[in-house]
Structure formats: C-alpha cells, structure tokens
Amino acid sequence: MSVSSPPVKATAPFPYIGLLSLAGAIFVSVTSEFLPTGLLPAMARDLGVGISTAGYLVTIFAGTVVVATTPLAALTQRFSRKSLIVVVLLVIAVANVLAAVAPTYAVLVIARILGGLAHGLFWAVVAAYSAHLVPAHQLGKAVAITAGGGTAAFVLGVPVGTAIGNALGWRTAFTVIGVVVALLALVIVKFLPPVNHHVEQKAGEVRVPLTRDPSFRSVILLCTVILIILTGQNTFYTYIAPWLTRVSSFEPSSIALVLFLYGGAGIIGLVGAGYAADRFPRKAFVGVVFGVMAAVLVLAMATTNTAVVLIAVIVWGAAFGGIPAMLQTRMLRTASFRTRDLAAALQTTAFNVGIGGGALLGGLLLDGIGLEVLPFVMIVLVAAGLALSLATDTVRDRRERHRLREP
C-alpha cells in the first residue's frame, strides 16, 4: 500500500515556488466551489428556482465530494500526485464551462457534480502535498502559504466573480473561472515539483490495517471537529448575500465589496495562523474561534447598523481566515506518515460534509424559520466544535502524562 514519504531533510531549500503554485491551484478550485455564493439571487431568477434551491448547488457539490473523495483517492493511489492535480484541474475547468452554458437547473446540477468529483480528488492530493515538500517543523509555514490560495479565493476570486456576474451575468462568471482554472493547470505543469509519495516496505515488515494505526483515532476525532465547525460556518456564510440584503440593509450592488472585505481580512488571520501554528497552535485556535463567535453575535444583534455589521464581517473574516490552515496543519501533525494520505482524504470529506451540510441546514432553516436565525445556529455549532476540540486535547494530555509516569 502506498503511504506518505519519509520526512523531507531539514537542509533542503524551502520550496516557495512549488508551494505558491499549489496556492494558485487552490485559489481557482475554491473560487469554483464557492462562486455560486455571491450569485445565488441572479442564478435563482434565471433558472426559475428559489434561493434555497439555488443554495443547494453548494450542497450537491459538497455532497459529491463527500461520497467520492475516499474511493477516488484509493483508486488513484499509484498515480503521480502532480499528474493528478493537472488532470483534476482540467476537469474542473470543463465543469465550469458546462455550468456556464447549462440551459436548465438539472444540467447545472450535473456540472456541479462533475466539478465535485474533481474537487474531491484534488483536495485528497493537495492536502498532503505540502508535507511531502517540507520537514515537520515547517509545516505551519508551508500550509499557511498554500492556504493563502483559499483565502485569496475569498479576497479576489469570489468577490470578482460576483462582480462579473452582477455586471455581465452569472454565466460569464463561470466561463471566466473555467478559463482561469485551465491556465493554472499549465502553471502546475511548469512549476510544481513532483513528489514520491510511496515508501518501500522493509523486508519482513508486516503491514497492519491503516484503521489500526495509533494515530487513526485522533484523525477521526479531528475530522469530527472540522465537520462541526464547517457546518456552523456554512449554515450562515452560504446565505450571506441574501442575509445582507434582506435582514440587514445592504444594496445588492455592495455585496461584492462586503465579500472582498471579508476575504481581505482573512489574509490577516492566515498570516497569523502561519506564525501561531508552529509556536502555540492550541491557544491560537481557541482565540480565533472565540473571535468568530463574538463577531457573528455582534453582526446578528446589530442588523440595522450597516457600519457595525461591516466591522463585524471584517472581524469574522480575520478570525476565520486562519482556522482552515490551523486545522490542516494539526491534521498533518496528528496523522502518522503512513496514514497521511488517508487522513488527507478524510479531512477533505469532513470539510465538505460541513460545507454541504451547512448549506443544506441553512436552506432548511431559511425556508422554515427565516434568515434571521442563521447566525445564531452558526454560533452554537462552532462552540460545539471548539468544546470537542478542547475535550480531545484534555484527554490526550492526560493519557500522555499517564504514559510518562509508567515505569
């Protein structure tokens, strides 16, 4: 069975160009995933469906990722990691072009399923790629760089896509992102170093199932934390555009700017995560999660004050900006080398269960209760995820202290 490669030598030069190439690929992939977020009203009108039905496109995309990621990762385990990234990016490009020309909602669903298949495999490969390029003590820095692509998607990709969609139509926005994805595939071909993700089995070595690896239980618990927090985040964030215009008092034309400020603030959180993840990861994680909950609570309580809402959105973006990178870094340090590829696939699944589940839950609450309840539900779920993380850390610390006291 193929497992992660041994640690990279600490004396190797830091692979900035390769990591920036990965960041670019993540940028276009994440932009493609969340592009509908800022275009839901326009898409709903054009396709003749409700906003919640349009929002389910996010759920469909994420649901496809959840179902397909682990099987696809297993089926492609023997293939070059770099080649897989190139192939899936080209498939994502095709999926976006298909979405752009979709005559009906059903065809658009097919396009999103195709994109979800490629996106799931993309993340199963990319999530562990940094660990093949750098030694363990540089993981936080490396993940922060690659995660910058995801942050840039919220800073530039989704807001610019929203602006293009509002000015020229949502179909044009999908076409543009399809072309950009294809161009990034060429960048990967040129600049991303290939890696060897195989480890030769030693003579006489007996392989135990990956599920019996000592780190597997911790991987599952961390995936549960990811799932809960991402469900909370996307219960509200998926419907941020209609919330801003219907519950708060923003004009539709200002949504792109609000999303830009949210994503821009995320850069601050990401830079902080790159520093904190290698120094005091637990305290930093607790701090940013509390920051998210506080910002969203202020936002929900001051809906009529646009200035306060805007400031709260910026704080929310800054606080949440570092959370995905912190979680990914923690996963790479939690999983053993031989379970790292499996952990990457499970992490991708957990993220997308949260994304899709949040969009689904938010849509159900929107139809059943109203937009006003979404931020409060988000706060409760994020708090539950933090509580599980703290409880897991406490149990692990006690077990470690007990082990050290044993004769």
Side-chain angles (χ1 to χ4, degrees), residues 84-125:
L84 280 177
I85 292 176
V86 174
V87 170
V88 296
L89 284 176
L90 293 176
V91 174
I92 290 172
V94 171
N96 278 286
V97 173
L98 178 60
V101 300
T104 64
Y105 181 80
V107 176
L108 187 54
V109 167
I110 293 172
R112 295 297 285 175
I113 290 174
L114 179 62
L117 290 170
H119 184 81
L121 182 55
F122 170 83
W123 272 105
V125 176

Short mmCIF file of all heavy atoms in Angstrom, two decimals, residues 84-125:
data_model
loop_
_atom_site.label_atom_id
_atom_site.label_comp_id
_atom_site.label_asym_id
_atom_site.label_seq_id
_atom_site.Cartn_x
_atom_site.Cartn_y
_atom_site.Cartn_z
N LEU A 84 -2.07 14.00 -11.25
CA LEU A 84 -3.46 14.02 -10.82
C LEU A 84 -3.97 15.44 -10.63
O LEU A 84 -5.11 15.76 -10.99
CB LEU A 84 -3.62 13.24 -9.51
CG LEU A 84 -3.68 11.71 -9.62
CD1 LEU A 84 -3.76 11.09 -8.23
CD2 LEU A 84 -4.89 11.29 -10.45
N ILE A 85 -3.13 16.30 -10.06
CA ILE A 85 -3.54 17.70 -9.88
C ILE A 85 -3.85 18.35 -11.22
O ILE A 85 -4.86 19.05 -11.38
CB ILE A 85 -2.45 18.49 -9.13
CG1 ILE A 85 -2.34 18.00 -7.68
CG2 ILE A 85 -2.77 19.99 -9.14
CD1 ILE A 85 -1.23 18.65 -6.89
N VAL A 86 -3.00 18.11 -12.21
CA VAL A 86 -3.23 18.68 -13.54
C VAL A 86 -4.53 18.18 -14.14
O VAL A 86 -5.35 18.95 -14.66
CB VAL A 86 -2.04 18.37 -14.47
CG1 VAL A 86 -2.35 18.83 -15.90
CG2 VAL A 86 -0.77 19.03 -13.96
N VAL A 87 -4.76 16.88 -14.06
CA VAL A 87 -5.96 16.28 -14.65
C VAL A 87 -7.22 16.82 -13.99
O VAL A 87 -8.19 17.22 -14.67
CB VAL A 87 -5.91 14.74 -14.55
CG1 VAL A 87 -7.26 14.14 -14.93
CG2 VAL A 87 -4.82 14.18 -15.45
N VAL A 88 -7.24 16.86 -12.67
CA VAL A 88 -8.46 17.30 -12.00
C VAL A 88 -8.73 18.79 -12.23
O VAL A 88 -9.89 19.22 -12.31
CB VAL A 88 -8.44 16.98 -10.48
CG1 VAL A 88 -8.40 15.48 -10.27
CG2 VAL A 88 -7.28 17.66 -9.78
N LEU A 89 -7.68 19.59 -12.36
CA LEU A 89 -7.89 21.00 -12.68
C LEU A 89 -8.54 21.16 -14.05
O LEU A 89 -9.44 22.00 -14.24
CB LEU A 89 -6.56 21.76 -12.64
CG LEU A 89 -6.01 22.08 -11.25
CD1 LEU A 89 -4.65 22.75 -11.36
CD2 LEU A 89 -6.97 22.98 -10.46
N LEU A 90 -8.13 20.35 -15.00
CA LEU A 90 -8.75 20.42 -16.33
C LEU A 90 -10.21 19.99 -16.28
O LEU A 90 -11.07 20.57 -16.97
CB LEU A 90 -7.96 19.55 -17.32
CG LEU A 90 -6.54 20.04 -17.64
CD1 LEU A 90 -5.82 19.05 -18.54
CD2 LEU A 90 -6.59 21.42 -18.30
N VAL A 91 -10.51 19.00 -15.46
CA VAL A 91 -11.91 18.58 -15.30
C VAL A 91 -12.73 19.69 -14.64
O VAL A 91 -13.88 19.94 -15.04
CB VAL A 91 -12.00 17.27 -14.49
CG1 VAL A 91 -13.46 16.91 -14.22
CG2 VAL A 91 -11.31 16.14 -15.23
N ILE A 92 -12.15 20.36 -13.66
CA ILE A 92 -12.85 21.48 -13.02
C ILE A 92 -13.12 22.58 -14.04
O ILE A 92 -14.21 23.19 -14.03
CB ILE A 92 -12.02 22.01 -11.84
CG1 ILE A 92 -12.01 21.00 -10.69
CG2 ILE A 92 -12.56 23.35 -11.34
CD1 ILE A 92 -11.06 21.35 -9.55
N ALA A 93 -12.17 22.83 -14.92
CA ALA A 93 -12.37 23.84 -15.97
C ALA A 93 -13.56 23.46 -16.85
O ALA A 93 -14.42 24.30 -17.16
CB ALA A 93 -11.10 23.99 -16.80
N VAL A 94 -13.61 22.21 -17.27
CA VAL A 94 -14.72 21.74 -18.11
C VAL A 94 -16.05 21.87 -17.37
O VAL A 94 -17.06 22.29 -17.94
CB VAL A 94 -14.47 20.28 -18.54
CG1 VAL A 94 -15.72 19.70 -19.23
CG2 VAL A 94 -13.28 20.19 -19.48
N ALA A 95 -16.06 21.52 -16.09
CA ALA A 95 -17.29 21.60 -15.29
C ALA A 95 -17.82 23.03 -15.21
O ALA A 95 -19.03 23.26 -15.28
CB ALA A 95 -17.04 21.04 -13.90
N ASN A 96 -16.92 23.99 -15.09
CA ASN A 96 -17.34 25.39 -15.02
C ASN A 96 -17.90 25.88 -16.35
O ASN A 96 -18.88 26.63 -16.38
CB ASN A 96 -16.18 26.27 -14.57
CG ASN A 96 -15.99 26.27 -13.07
OD1 ASN A 96 -16.75 26.87 -12.33
ND2 ASN A 96 -14.97 25.57 -12.61
N VAL A 97 -17.29 25.47 -17.43
CA VAL A 97 -17.81 25.85 -18.75
C VAL A 97 -19.18 25.22 -18.97
O VAL A 97 -20.10 25.86 -19.50
CB VAL A 97 -16.82 25.44 -19.86
CG1 VAL A 97 -17.43 25.68 -21.24
CG2 VAL A 97 -15.52 26.22 -19.73
N LEU A 98 -19.34 23.97 -18.55
CA LEU A 98 -20.64 23.31 -18.66
C LEU A 98 -21.69 24.05 -17.83
O LEU A 98 -22.84 24.23 -18.28
CB LEU A 98 -20.53 21.85 -18.20
CG LEU A 98 -21.83 21.03 -18.22
CD1 LEU A 98 -22.41 20.97 -19.62
CD2 LEU A 98 -21.58 19.62 -17.68
N ALA A 99 -21.31 24.50 -16.64
CA ALA A 99 -22.23 25.27 -15.81
C ALA A 99 -22.63 26.57 -16.51
O ALA A 99 -23.78 27.01 -16.44
CB ALA A 99 -21.60 25.57 -14.45
N ALA A 100 -21.68 27.19 -17.18
CA ALA A 100 -21.94 28.46 -17.85
C ALA A 100 -22.98 28.33 -18.97
O ALA A 100 -23.74 29.26 -19.23
CB ALA A 100 -20.64 29.03 -18.42
N VAL A 101 -23.00 27.18 -19.64
CA VAL A 101 -23.92 27.00 -20.78
C VAL A 101 -25.15 26.18 -20.39
O VAL A 101 -25.98 25.89 -21.26
CB VAL A 101 -23.20 26.34 -21.97
CG1 VAL A 101 -22.02 27.19 -22.42
CG2 VAL A 101 -22.73 24.92 -21.61
N ALA A 102 -25.29 25.83 -19.10
CA ALA A 102 -26.40 24.97 -18.67
C ALA A 102 -27.74 25.64 -18.97
O ALA A 102 -28.02 26.73 -18.46
CB ALA A 102 -26.28 24.67 -17.19
N PRO A 103 -28.61 25.01 -19.75
CA PRO A 103 -29.91 25.61 -20.08
C PRO A 103 -30.94 25.46 -18.97
O PRO A 103 -31.92 26.20 -18.91
CB PRO A 103 -30.35 24.84 -21.33
CG PRO A 103 -29.70 23.49 -21.19
CD PRO A 103 -28.39 23.74 -20.49
N THR A 104 -30.72 24.48 -18.07
CA THR A 104 -31.68 24.22 -17.00
C THR A 104 -30.95 23.98 -15.69
O THR A 104 -29.74 23.75 -15.65
CB THR A 104 -32.54 22.97 -17.32
OG1 THR A 104 -31.68 21.81 -17.36
CG2 THR A 104 -33.26 23.13 -18.66
N TYR A 105 -31.73 23.98 -14.61
CA TYR A 105 -31.17 23.69 -13.29
C TYR A 105 -30.60 22.27 -13.24
O TYR A 105 -29.56 22.04 -12.62
CB TYR A 105 -32.27 23.85 -12.24
CG TYR A 105 -31.82 23.60 -10.82
CD1 TYR A 105 -31.13 24.58 -10.10
CD2 TYR A 105 -32.09 22.39 -10.18
CE1 TYR A 105 -30.73 24.36 -8.79
CE2 TYR A 105 -31.69 22.16 -8.87
CZ TYR A 105 -31.02 23.15 -8.18
OH TYR A 105 -30.61 22.93 -6.88
N ALA A 106 -31.25 21.32 -13.92
CA ALA A 106 -30.79 19.93 -13.90
C ALA A 106 -29.41 19.81 -14.52
O ALA A 106 -28.54 19.08 -14.01
CB ALA A 106 -31.78 19.04 -14.64
N VAL A 107 -29.18 20.50 -15.63
CA VAL A 107 -27.86 20.45 -16.27
C VAL A 107 -26.81 21.12 -15.37
O VAL A 107 -25.68 20.66 -15.27
CB VAL A 107 -27.90 21.14 -17.66
CG1 VAL A 107 -26.51 21.19 -18.28
CG2 VAL A 107 -28.88 20.41 -18.57
N LEU A 108 -27.20 22.18 -14.70
CA LEU A 108 -26.29 22.84 -13.78
C LEU A 108 -25.92 21.90 -12.63
O LEU A 108 -24.77 21.88 -12.18
CB LEU A 108 -26.92 24.12 -13.24
CG LEU A 108 -26.03 25.02 -12.37
CD1 LEU A 108 -24.75 25.38 -13.10
CD2 LEU A 108 -26.80 26.28 -11.97
N VAL A 109 -26.88 21.12 -12.17
CA VAL A 109 -26.59 20.12 -11.13
C VAL A 109 -25.55 19.12 -11.63
O VAL A 109 -24.61 18.76 -10.91
CB VAL A 109 -27.89 19.39 -10.72
CG1 VAL A 109 -27.57 18.14 -9.90
CG2 VAL A 109 -28.79 20.32 -9.92
N ILE A 110 -25.70 18.67 -12.88
CA ILE A 110 -24.73 17.73 -13.46
C ILE A 110 -23.33 18.36 -13.50
O ILE A 110 -22.33 17.72 -13.18
CB ILE A 110 -25.17 17.30 -14.87
CG1 ILE A 110 -26.45 16.46 -14.79
CG2 ILE A 110 -24.07 16.52 -15.58
CD1 ILE A 110 -27.07 16.15 -16.13
N ALA A 111 -23.28 19.63 -13.89
CA ALA A 111 -21.99 20.33 -13.94
C ALA A 111 -21.36 20.41 -12.56
O ALA A 111 -20.14 20.23 -12.39
CB ALA A 111 -22.18 21.73 -14.53
N ARG A 112 -22.17 20.66 -11.54
CA ARG A 112 -21.64 20.76 -10.18
C ARG A 112 -21.19 19.40 -9.66
O ARG A 112 -20.22 19.30 -8.90
CB ARG A 112 -22.70 21.36 -9.25
CG ARG A 112 -23.07 22.80 -9.57
CD ARG A 112 -21.90 23.74 -9.41
NE ARG A 112 -21.60 24.02 -8.02
CZ ARG A 112 -20.58 24.75 -7.60
NH1 ARG A 112 -19.70 25.24 -8.48
NH2 ARG A 112 -20.38 24.97 -6.32
N ILE A 113 -21.89 18.34 -10.05
CA ILE A 113 -21.46 17.00 -9.65
C ILE A 113 -20.10 16.68 -10.27
O ILE A 113 -19.20 16.16 -9.59
CB ILE A 113 -22.51 15.95 -10.07
CG1 ILE A 113 -23.77 16.11 -9.22
CG2 ILE A 113 -21.95 14.54 -9.94
CD1 ILE A 113 -24.92 15.23 -9.64
N LEU A 114 -19.94 17.00 -11.55
CA LEU A 114 -18.66 16.77 -12.21
C LEU A 114 -17.55 17.57 -11.52
O LEU A 114 -16.45 17.05 -11.26
CB LEU A 114 -18.75 17.18 -13.69
CG LEU A 114 -17.47 17.04 -14.52
CD1 LEU A 114 -17.02 15.58 -14.58
CD2 LEU A 114 -17.68 17.60 -15.92
N GLY A 115 -17.84 18.82 -11.22
CA GLY A 115 -16.85 19.63 -10.50
C GLY A 115 -16.55 19.08 -9.12
O GLY A 115 -15.40 19.11 -8.67
N GLY A 116 -17.57 18.56 -8.44
CA GLY A 116 -17.36 17.99 -7.12
C GLY A 116 -16.48 16.75 -7.14
O GLY A 116 -15.65 16.54 -6.25
N LEU A 117 -16.65 15.90 -8.16
CA LEU A 117 -15.80 14.72 -8.31
C LEU A 117 -14.33 15.13 -8.41
O LEU A 117 -13.46 14.57 -7.74
CB LEU A 117 -16.21 13.93 -9.54
CG LEU A 117 -17.55 13.19 -9.47
CD1 LEU A 117 -17.92 12.65 -10.85
CD2 LEU A 117 -17.49 12.05 -8.46
N ALA A 118 -14.06 16.11 -9.28
CA ALA A 118 -12.69 16.56 -9.48
C ALA A 118 -12.15 17.28 -8.24
O ALA A 118 -11.00 17.10 -7.85
CB ALA A 118 -12.62 17.47 -10.71
N HIS A 119 -13.00 18.09 -7.63
CA HIS A 119 -12.57 18.86 -6.46
C HIS A 119 -12.20 17.96 -5.29
O HIS A 119 -11.23 18.22 -4.58
CB HIS A 119 -13.71 19.81 -6.06
CG HIS A 119 -13.37 20.74 -4.94
ND1 HIS A 119 -12.65 21.90 -5.13
CD2 HIS A 119 -13.64 20.69 -3.61
CE1 HIS A 119 -12.50 22.52 -3.97
NE2 HIS A 119 -13.09 21.80 -3.03
N GLY A 120 -12.97 16.90 -5.10
CA GLY A 120 -12.67 15.98 -4.00
C GLY A 120 -11.32 15.31 -4.16
O GLY A 120 -10.52 15.25 -3.22
N LEU A 121 -11.04 14.82 -5.37
CA LEU A 121 -9.74 14.19 -5.61
C LEU A 121 -8.62 15.22 -5.53
O LEU A 121 -7.53 14.93 -5.02
CB LEU A 121 -9.75 13.51 -6.98
CG LEU A 121 -8.47 12.76 -7.36
CD1 LEU A 121 -8.09 11.73 -6.31
CD2 LEU A 121 -8.64 12.09 -8.73
N PHE A 122 -8.88 16.42 -6.02
CA PHE A 122 -7.90 17.50 -5.94
C PHE A 122 -7.44 17.71 -4.50
O PHE A 122 -6.25 17.73 -4.20
CB PHE A 122 -8.51 18.79 -6.50
CG PHE A 122 -7.68 20.03 -6.26
CD1 PHE A 122 -6.64 20.35 -7.11
CD2 PHE A 122 -7.94 20.87 -5.20
CE1 PHE A 122 -5.86 21.49 -6.89
CE2 PHE A 122 -7.19 22.01 -4.97
CZ PHE A 122 -6.14 22.32 -5.82
N TRP A 123 -8.40 17.82 -3.57
CA TRP A 123 -8.04 18.09 -2.18
C TRP A 123 -7.42 16.89 -1.50
O TRP A 123 -6.58 17.04 -0.61
CB TRP A 123 -9.25 18.59 -1.41
CG TRP A 123 -9.40 20.07 -1.50
CD1 TRP A 123 -10.30 20.77 -2.24
CD2 TRP A 123 -8.57 21.05 -0.87
NE1 TRP A 123 -10.09 22.13 -2.09
CE2 TRP A 123 -9.04 22.32 -1.26
CE3 TRP A 123 -7.48 20.97 0.01
CZ2 TRP A 123 -8.46 23.50 -0.81
CZ3 TRP A 123 -6.89 22.15 0.45
CH2 TRP A 123 -7.39 23.40 0.06
N ALA A 124 -7.83 15.69 -1.90
CA ALA A 124 -7.22 14.49 -1.33
C ALA A 124 -5.73 14.44 -1.64
O ALA A 124 -4.93 13.92 -0.86
CB ALA A 124 -7.91 13.24 -1.87
N VAL A 125 -5.34 15.00 -2.79
CA VAL A 125 -3.93 15.03 -3.18
C VAL A 125 -3.23 16.26 -2.59
O VAL A 125 -2.16 16.16 -1.98
CB VAL A 125 -3.80 15.04 -4.72
CG1 VAL A 125 -2.34 15.19 -5.13
CG2 VAL A 125 -4.40 13.78 -5.32
#
